Amino acid sequence: MKLSSVLLVLSVVVLAVFAGWCPHNGTMMLTHKWDKVFAQNENVMNHKVTFMNRYGVTLVGDLYLPKTKGNAKMPAIVVAGPFGAVKEQVSGLYAQQMAEYGFVTLAFDPSFTGESGGKIRDVASPDINTEDFSAAVDYLTTLPYVDANKIGVLGICGFGGFALNAASMDTRIKATVTSTMYDMTRVTAHGYNDSLSPAELYKQRVALNSQRTLDAKFKTIAKTNPLPNINEVTPDTPQFVKDYVLYYKTKLGYHERSVASNRGWNTTSALSLMTMPILSYANTIKSAVLMVHGEKAHSRYFSEDAFAKLRGDNKELLIIPGANHTDLYYRTDVIPFNKIRKFFEKYLQ
């Protein structure tokens, strides 16, 4: 065996020892090939990193750096989302672009998803997913080329809500951008456009707790229904579901480790999302916030209502004409990257 091959095997073993997890056999085996759903930018460097959150879950991220970074300490941005996506999808696209602009960026897989740790897979948690952002900030503060006083976060879709929650808690976050933001706690507790009645909500809680009993009795883990495949879409399928399917279930955005592309969430994750509203302290955020949403997005009301809670003259809501929810996942001609760049340059200076 060639020396280069031996070194590669040893590096994988070392990573496995330190991270200690794989969803299949208990050993972490990270993918080091380029397996993103977007093209690689030749002006940006990229490599895998691992770090631990305060719950002891090892998180895996892709660190992006401009090739012309120089010797000065640089501002940095943590990126995550959408809900059910992995870092090889939307967050990686945003992170790579912001790195080309001169930022150190870290796109990570949230706890229990993608390459990140957690024995039970595909679990969502308002507390843990907020903590994931702060754990990423922790990691960035340890890098010698990052200015620890110039760190921001960028959350997409459901992780836009968690990013806002992190900003209300973590004063090290100096600027926050949300893109096509969802409040996962609100939509889970009240349905789209707050359509669930209290009686319907209580009925759902009873059903979910009954499922917990069944899972405990039979040692099972119930999963939510995944998105339909492209050939299962009908004329009666809601347009926003068609948009999700077009991204997650086709070559446009499909990834083998993505919850949304494949198997669905742990069903009982919904219980904590129902009872722990993540935007309760949005009005206490003193740092700068930019919220971006599409004019035609079914989810637009989440950003508008969250923005109404924010206080201070360093907050901005940007509505993109004609854009739907998933346009801000992948359409580089629609995503206002230059606006996001200028925002972070202003508030991470």
Side-chain angles (χ1 to χ4, degrees):
M1 184 180 290
K2 294 182 178 180
L3 178 60
S4 60
S5 299
V6 173
L7 291 175
L8 176 60
V9 171
L10 286 175
S11 67
V12 171
V13 171
V14 169
L15 284 169
V17 170
F18 278 99
W21 172 86
C22 178
H24 304 297
N25 57 21
T27 303
M28 176 171 273
M29 301 292 286
L30 301 183
T31 301
H32 292 280
K33 65 179 181 179
W34 183 267
D35 62 346
K36 326 300 187 204
V37 302
F38 51 90
Q40 190 168 12
N41 187 325
E42 63 181 12
N43 297 316
V44 176
M45 299 181 289
N46 164 262
H47 64 273
K48 286 278 174 70
V49 299
T50 61
F51 53 97
M52 187 176 291
N53 69 18
R54 65 187 177 92
Y55 294 102
V57 178
T58 297
L59 303 179
V60 179
D62 282 315
L63 193 69
Y64 293 86
L65 301 97
K67 285 187 176 179
T68 56
K69 70 182 185 70
N71 297 320
K73 289 194 173 187
M74 295 181 290
I77 306 167
V78 176
V79 191
F83 191 75
V86 288
K87 62 189 180 302
E88 290 77 17
Q89 294 171 312
V90 184
S91 61
L93 173 66
Y94 275 72
Q96 181 176 248
Q97 183 59 60
M98 299 312 295
E100 184 178 27
Y101 291 150
F103 299 91
V104 175
T105 60
L106 174 59
F108 69 89
D109 287 331
S111 294
F112 313 111
T113 66
E115 292 186 298
S116 286
K119 184 175 181 180
I120 305 298
R121 306 308 297 161
D122 310 325
V123 176
S125 163
D127 186 14
I128 296 174
N129 292 144
T130 299
E131 157 62 19
D132 289 341
F133 274 104
S134 287
V137 172
D138 291 343
Y139 174 77
L140 288 174
T141 65
T142 70
L143 300 180
Y145 45 84
V146 167
D147 188 330
N149 294 311
K150 298 179 180 179
I151 297 177
V153 297
L154 198 167
I156 305 125
C157 185
F159 276 81
F162 296 130
L164 279 180
N165 195 31
S168 71
M169 177 186 69
D170 194 333
T171 57
R172 299 172 301 173
I173 296 171
K174 305 305 181 185
T176 301
V177 172
T178 68
S179 180
T180 200
M181 193 273 285
Y182 251 66
D183 178 350
M184 293 308 303
T185 55
R186 178 179 176 181
V187 73
T188 306
H190 302 291
Y192 282 113
N193 296 304
D194 303 326
S195 58
L196 282 179
S197 69
E200 289 171 322
L201 175 59
Y202 184 76
K203 185 177 181 180
Q204 285 194 7
R205 289 179 184 171
V206 171
L208 288 167
N209 282 292
S210 295
Q211 185 62 57
R212 287 196 66 148
T213 299
L214 292 173
D215 286 347
K217 180 177 181 180
F218 296 107
K219 311 298 182 186
T220 56
I221 299 174
K223 292 295 185 73
T224 59
N225 292 326
L227 285 170
N229 292 318
I230 192 71
N231 61 350
E232 297 171 323
V233 170
T234 71
D236 294 330
T237 302
Q239 183 58 49
F240 74 93
V241 176
K242 293 179 182 178
D243 295 336
Y244 285 136
V245 171
L246 177 65
Y247 181 75
Y248 285 113
K249 293 290 194 171
T250 73
K251 291 182 179 179
L252 181 63
Y254 176 83
H255 198 279
E256 61 183 359
R257 290 190 295 272
S258 167
V259 178
S261 288
N262 296 286
R263 54 199 169 273
W265 289 94
N266 182 316
T267 300
T268 56
S269 293
L271 284 166
S272 60
L273 292 170
M274 284 179 173
T275 57
M276 300 179 188
I278 54 175
L279 299 184
S280 297
Y281 293 92
N283 65 326
T284 69
I285 299 173
K286 294 186 180 298
S287 55
V289 177
L290 169 65
M291 304 190 72
V292 181
H293 223 108
E295 177 192 17
K296 304 297 184 182
H298 70 284
S299 53
R300 175 177 168 178
Y301 71 100
F302 289 122
S303 284
E304 291 178 330
D305 290 356
F307 183 75
K309 296 180 179 181
L310 301 178
R311 299 290 178 265
D313 58 6
N314 56 353
K315 313 296 192 294
E316 183 177 353
L317 174 64
L318 176 63
I319 301 298
I320 306 301
N324 67 28
H325 182 83
T326 57
D327 283 341
L328 296 177
Y329 282 12
Y330 66 95
R331 288 191 57 185
T332 56
D333 60 326
V334 173
I335 300 168
F337 280 127
N338 197 48
K339 171 67 175 180
I340 295 170
R341 170 190 187 174
K342 290 179 179 178
F343 172 83
F344 278 126
E345 286 177 345
K346 178 178 180 179
Y347 290 105
L348 299 181
Q349 61 185 352

